[in-house]
Amino acid sequence: MPSQERNARAWPAIETWLTDGEIFLRQARVTAPHHRPALPVSAPVRPLAAARPAHRNH
């Protein structure tokens, strides 16, 4: 399929996304099976667990 025809077919979907994308994202977040609320920006960073040093044979 020539790119011009492909673009013509895709354009309505692109316009819909640009117009209603925020609604789609909101619905996707709400209906996600493992929905986890985003952490606020001010949330403290959790330190990583202390890693064991790699075992070295001398």
Side-chain angles (χ1 to χ4, degrees):
M1 171 183 330
S3 64
Q4 194 172 27
E5 183 180 344
R6 186 176 54 245
N7 291 347
R9 288 182 178 199
W11 189 248
I14 293 169
E15 285 182 319
T16 300
W17 177 256
L18 292 174
T19 302
D20 301 317
E22 187 66 32
I23 294 167
F24 296 154
L25 289 173
R26 197 172 325 125
Q27 290 173 345
R29 286 184 190 119
V30 169
T31 60
H34 301 291
H35 177 68
R36 293 185 210 164
L39 291 175
V41 175
S42 61
V45 176
R46 287 190 252 162
L48 296 175
R52 290 183 180 170
H55 179 71
R56 290 184 170 176
N57 288 330
H58 292 287

